[in-house]
Amino acid sequence: MADERCLHDLLPDQCGLCKPVPSGLAARVVITAGGSVFHRDTSCEALVEGRNKAFRLGLELHDPVTVPIDRIVHDRPPCIHCFPDYAPPGTRLCWVMDDGTWNRGLLKRWTARGADGLWRAEVDYVVDRVPREAVLDQRCLRPREPGEQRPRLPAGTR
């Protein structure tokens, strides 16, 4: 029995134009040459803030361009602001405590226990439209489910 082929004469999962978009993402996304993530569209507040920051620092500004998701999905992570419920393979959605506020984040990997016996993890998250990367201990992290609006905290905690 012959394999089904797409209109480009490839197996559907091999064709960048015909394979399904990963759940939670868009078929076309926005990137800049100087950026480190991809965005849903040019109106993303984190993208605008990032460009403003680059301008203030005197860095070169790169125009946003729209590209097919398959071109960059393996090179960059998604903007947490644009795609809050998408976790690339090997990562997990989480809540990140920053200055007394829980923020949506992405746990990239657990690193090791510190001298205090607490586990530490590399995380990405957004605070006031500004993307952040950090290594934080387990007290600052909580698991997060897609669509969850607030962290589920143990009784008696805030």
Side-chain angles (χ1 to χ4, degrees):
M1 178 164 102
D3 291 322
E4 295 282 328
R5 299 276 175 168
C6 74
L7 67 114
H8 304 103
D9 199 30
L10 296 169
L11 295 174
D13 285 345
Q14 294 176 339
C15 181
L17 298 172
C18 295
K19 70 181 172 184
V21 175
S23 178
L25 296 181
R28 298 186 61 78
V29 294
V30 173
I31 62 170
T32 62
S36 60
V37 300
F38 60 86
H39 302 273
R40 187 176 301 279
D41 57 49
T42 56
S43 65
C44 168
E45 294 175 1
L47 173 62
V48 171
E49 181 60 30
R51 290 178 51 80
N52 290 341
K53 181 179 179 182
F55 178 77
R56 287 190 306 270
L57 295 174
L59 301 174
E60 183 178 355
L61 289 180
H62 302 277
D63 290 331
V65 294
T66 302
V67 298
I69 186 77
D70 64 294
R71 188 172 133 201
I72 51 86
V73 74
H74 300 292
D75 299 331
R76 308 175 179 215
C79 166
I80 294 172
H81 187 75
C82 293
F83 302 100
D85 292 336
Y86 176 72
T91 66
R92 294 178 41 193
L93 298 175
C94 68
W95 290 103
V96 178
M97 174 62 76
D98 184 280
D99 198 27
T101 303
W102 289 102
N103 303 277
R104 286 184 178 93
L106 188 65
L107 191 147
K108 297 190 294 190
R109 74 180 186 100
W110 289 103
T111 55
R113 287 186 190 259
D116 55 9
L118 298 173
W119 282 97
R120 295 194 169 29
E122 293 177 8
V123 295
D124 290 343
Y125 61 107
V126 176
V127 176
D128 296 327
R129 301 177 307 213
V130 179
R132 296 189 181 178
E133 295 180 38
V135 175
L136 300 171
D137 73 48
Q138 67 192 54
R139 293 174 296 190
C140 300
L141 304 170
R142 296 288 182 272
R144 180 169 64 88
E145 296 298 324
E148 196 172 62
Q149 298 301 311
R150 292 191 318 235
R152 290 171 285 141
L153 302 175
T157 62
R158 288 188 170 185

